[in-house]
Amino acid sequence: NALYLRNKLAKGEKALGFWLTFPSTGLARTILATGGLSWTLLDAEHGQITDKDYFDLCNAVVASKASPIIRIPFDVEWMIKRALDAGAHGVMTPLCHTADDARRIVKYSKYPPTGTRGFGPMFSPHSFGLTTEGAYAAGADKGLLVIVQIESVPGVENVEEIAKVDGVDVIFIGPFDLSKFLGCEFGGEVHEAAIAKILKAAKAAGKTAAIFCTSGEMARKRLDQGFDMVSITTDIGAVQNGFSKEFAITTAT
Ligand code: 3PY
């Protein structure tokens, strides 16, 4: 099947991905042509992507043999439904604070009787490598990934309970929000202790431990620490970094 990220994780391999913030299928395909990436995050929380872009972006990512994961702005039911119906291989929800939040997200992501996802997957089968709605519906609950972000004070406090929730597949750290909510220095002792606690809770519950990284250096460090899934950078970050480097060379005296 075409569930690239789930298959990668099932084999125990590290899952590398990147973060798309521009609603550009061409940009997605250009970056994915690098090879070696098993997922792309389509950011509809802080990025410029909206649900009007989901379908074309999901198609572009799947065509490049990676899993499209959509980060919705908030964990409300209709947003999860629209993301999954467009062909996402999973949703990422920001700011998961409690096990009840996590249970709600799982419920919205699964068809009855497990959950409350409405039925209308006209546009999703092909992104699983399938041709019929029936085949998609039969595999959706097991195939799609539920990815919750831990990035708040209650999120860290409740992470062991959250990680144990049935149906949660990936515990994904948002390190920037985490440092803001904890009121601590990014990369400092308090920040790193919270990250280590979340990593440990995910592993103890047998869940995928993941973290947002904005550079290869950061990604390498987190992989070595034991994380299973990391972003390498974002589209906007790569463009800004690349341009400033060239600008500095051009204007050096
Ligand atoms: C964070 O670092 O807070 C994120 O959620 C990544 O965008």
Side-chain angles (χ1 to χ4, degrees):
N1 65 42
L3 295 175
Y4 303 106
L5 176 55
R6 185 176 276 289
N7 296 342
K8 187 101 186 155
L9 295 170
K11 282 191 269 176
E13 293 174 6
K14 304 278 186 188
L16 311 180
F18 88 98
W19 217 260
L20 191 77
T21 64
F22 287 106
S24 164
T25 54
L27 188 48
R29 295 214 61 172
T30 301
I31 296 173
L32 286 164
T34 314
L37 302 178
S38 53
W39 58 281
T40 296
L41 190 285
L42 311 178
D43 193 0
E45 185 199 13
H46 294 300
Q48 293 302 317
I49 291 166
T50 67
D51 73 352
K52 190 163 155 285
D53 308 307
Y54 291 172
F55 180 62
D56 286 344
L57 289 174
C58 285
N59 274 321
V61 173
V62 170
S64 298
K65 301 203 179 317
S67 282
I69 304 294
I70 297 177
R71 178 164 74 169
I72 54 173
F74 197 60
D75 62 4
V76 289
E77 188 160 21
W78 71 265
M79 288 187 184
I80 293 180
K81 178 161 54 184
R82 288 195 64 75
L84 296 180
D85 282 355
H89 287 185
V91 281
M92 182 185 295
T93 57
L95 294 166
C96 177
H97 304 304
T98 65
D100 276 347
D101 286 347
R103 277 189 279 273
R104 225 182 37 250
I105 294 158
V106 171
K107 185 173 91 172
Y108 298 160
S109 304
K110 311 282 182 194
Y111 285 124
T114 314
T116 57
R117 180 179 171 196
F119 190 79
M122 289 82 78
F123 305 100
S124 14
H126 57 275
S127 92
F128 268 54
L130 301 168
T131 50
T132 66
E133 289 179 22
Y136 170 84
D141 284 2
K142 275 214 162 79
L144 297 173
L145 293 158
V146 174
I147 304 177
V148 297
Q149 282 201 274
I150 305 297
E151 48 187 356
S152 69
V153 175
V156 176
E157 281 167 6
N158 297 320
V159 68
E160 284 91 356
E161 291 306 308
I162 294 170
K164 280 184 208 150
V165 169
D166 238 14
V168 167
D169 299 291
V170 180
I171 298 292
F172 200 108
I173 301 175
F176 288 93
D177 269 316
L178 188 64
S179 82
K180 295 280 179 217
F181 279 95
L182 290 177
C184 67
E185 184 199 346
F186 189 97
E189 217 172 291
V190 174
H191 194 231
E192 288 301 324
I195 289 173
K197 180 182 181 205
I198 301 165
L199 171 63
K200 191 168 164 208
K203 294 278 183 189
K207 302 296 170 70
T208 296
I211 186 164
F212 175 71
C213 298
T214 52
S215 70
E217 191 185 345
M218 211 189 272
R220 187 66 254 168
K221 171 181 154 189
R222 297 306 182 192
L223 290 172
D224 291 344
Q225 208 177 344
F227 280 93
D228 310 298
M229 174 177 167
V230 297
S231 60
I232 294 177
T233 187
T234 66
D235 52 3
I236 177 104
V239 169
Q240 284 168 338
N241 288 341
F243 188 81
S244 342
K245 193 175 132 232
E246 301 310 329
F247 184 85
I249 293 169
T250 308
T251 55
T253 50

